[in-house]
Amino acid sequence: MNPDELSGALLRARTAAEAAGELLRDYQLRLSGLKIDSKSSSVDLVSEADVEAEKQIVQSLRNAVPGAGFIGEESTEARDDSADFHWVIDPLDGTSNYLAGLPIWAVSIGLVDSAMRPLCGVVHAPLMSKTWTALDGGGAQINGSRMSVRTQPVGGGWRN
């Protein structure tokens, strides 16, 4: 995948994450009527909001990278191990916070190659008004501003 295709994939993922964030925001306004189930344990929850958000993301990304498969947290799409690329989707990262009405939850989407190496990704936290993006070889951004690794400790020194 060339750099322009990868940038285009990241843009599509960001758009899909933002749209799913809006859907989830709407669902969170009516939590009392939300259908909630457990998966592997009583604290591993899934709601109809998770499932619907994943379906929307898959639909939005279906043609973004031709032939790409999907690996979803809620498994709404069968995994295709023969695909050269996979979208990895956690439509509602922080379901317990979400269901408690807390703002600390996000939509997470990444694109990986056949060896599961990350190529690009987005984490969109709508209620925190933050969107992180990263592109293989292109660095990371938060809300469109380039991020960097701090080389010096804050305040001139480390404190215990």
Side-chain angles (χ1 to χ4, degrees), residues 10-29:
L10 179 60
L11 179 60
R12 294 283 297 270
R14 182 180 181 148
T15 301
E18 289 170 348
E22 287 301 313
L23 175 77
L24 291 166
R25 204 185 254 189
D26 290 345
Y27 268 106
Q28 197 175 34
L29 293 175

Side-chain angles (χ1 to χ4, degrees), residues 31-42:
L31 283 178
S32 62
L34 204 59
K35 183 177 184 257
I36 302 167
D37 293 314
S38 58
K39 296 189 286 189
S40 62
S41 72
S42 63

Side-chain angles (χ1 to χ4, degrees), residues 43-57:
V43 294
D44 188 11
L45 302 174
V46 61
S47 73
E48 68 181 295
D50 298 68
V51 174
E52 290 305 313
E54 184 172 304
K55 285 179 185 175
Q56 179 179 306
I57 292 166

Side-chain angles (χ1 to χ4, degrees), residues 37-123:
D37 293 314
S38 58
K39 296 189 286 189
S40 62
S41 72
S42 63
V43 294
D44 188 11
L45 302 174
V46 61
S47 73
E48 68 181 295
D50 298 68
V51 174
E52 290 305 313
E54 184 172 304
K55 285 179 185 175
Q56 179 179 306
I57 292 166
V58 168
Q59 185 63 31
S60 181
L61 295 177
R62 178 140 337 264
N63 298 315
V65 176
F70 293 89
I71 302 169
E73 172 85 11
E74 309 314 331
S75 302
T76 60
E77 184 81 14
R79 183 172 171 171
D80 178 5
D81 289 326
S82 67
D84 290 332
F85 302 99
H86 280 91
W87 290 105
V88 180
I89 303 165
D90 187 346
L92 180 47
D93 194 1
T95 300
S96 294
N97 285 343
Y98 177 87
L99 295 174
L102 299 172
I104 305 168
W105 55 269
V107 178
S108 300
I109 303 171
L111 181 66
V112 298
D113 65 15
S114 59
M116 301 303 282
R117 288 184 300 251
L119 301 174
C120 68
V122 60
V123 175

